[in-house]
Amino acid sequence: MAAIAKDKVVSIHYTLTDDDGAVLDASSHGPLAYLHGHGTIIPGLERELEGLSVGDEKNVTVAPADAYGLSDPDAVQKVHRSEFPKDMELEVGRAVHASTPDGQHLTLWITEIKGAYITLTTNHPLADKTLHFAVKVAEVRDATPEELDHGHVHGPGGHHH
Ligand code: ZN
């Protein structure tokens, strides 16, 4: 039976909980498909899935450094509401995509809205958290040449384009 290795397309069911057992995320809309060995999922999880086969279940604990990193207290900025597009819905927790003057793409998350000022951070909402994954492998298959070329999965659970 095919084991998880580099260049395999892997589909997993998973539940992600924090240290207190609160569910942070889960594959509730069907299994998550990803291309193994290409850094498209967090490194601490990808490493632990190596070698598993369909039907295998595993609990994986990932330290912040191998997940979404440690937060940088300086990576916070306050921006006036008028800096955002008028029709944009602003709410705490929302991810905002921006580009720096030198063309780098950034994701920021809204952490606070106070009056006309919006506080944003580049720290991922799951930064500093130890993540606990309960994983069950649903499918393992060879990637198509096109998927390898694009570096991501096509079809169910993957990219559609
Ligand atoms: Zn593609």
Side-chain angles (χ1 to χ4, degrees), residues 130-150:
T130 298
L131 304 180
H132 304 270
F133 290 92
V135 176
K136 184 171 184 184
V137 181
E139 191 190 359
V140 181
R141 65 166 170 86
D142 291 325
T144 65
E146 193 188 38
E147 286 173 326
L148 289 175
D149 189 42
H150 288 198

Side-chain angles (χ1 to χ4, degrees), residues 146-147 150-154 159 161:
E146 193 188 38
E147 286 173 326
H150 288 198
H152 57 230
V153 174
H154 294 160
H159 284 243
H161 63 113

Side-chain angles (χ1 to χ4, degrees), residues 28-117:
S28 47
H29 302 290
L32 167 81
Y34 76 96
L35 184 58
H36 191 82
H38 290 255
T40 55
I41 63 170
I42 59 169
L45 179 60
E46 185 167 60
R47 200 167 53 225
E48 291 296 319
L49 295 176
E50 182 97 17
L52 299 185
S53 305
V54 172
D56 283 351
E57 295 182 47
K58 190 168 187 180
N59 292 314
V60 178
T61 297
V62 184
D66 270 341
Y68 293 99
L70 299 172
S71 61
D72 172 3
D74 295 328
V76 171
Q77 52 182 295
K78 244 180 207 182
V79 178
H80 194 269
R81 193 179 275 272
S82 62
E83 303 277 321
F84 293 90
K86 268 205 171 68
D87 56 352
M88 191 174 197
E89 227 176 283
L90 301 171
E91 58 185 358
V92 171
R94 187 189 165 132
V96 176
H97 301 282
S99 309
T100 60
D102 59 350
Q104 262 194 310
H105 293 283
L106 277 182
T107 303
L108 300 117
W109 287 270
I110 298 174
T111 57
E112 192 182 62
I113 299 175
K114 228 176 192 173
Y117 288 91

Side-chain angles (χ1 to χ4, degrees), residues 13-36:
H13 295 284
Y14 70 94
T15 303
L16 170 60
T17 51
D18 65 12
D19 279 334
D20 301 322
V23 175
L24 302 172
D25 192 17
S27 53
S28 47
H29 302 290
L32 167 81
Y34 76 96
L35 184 58
H36 191 82

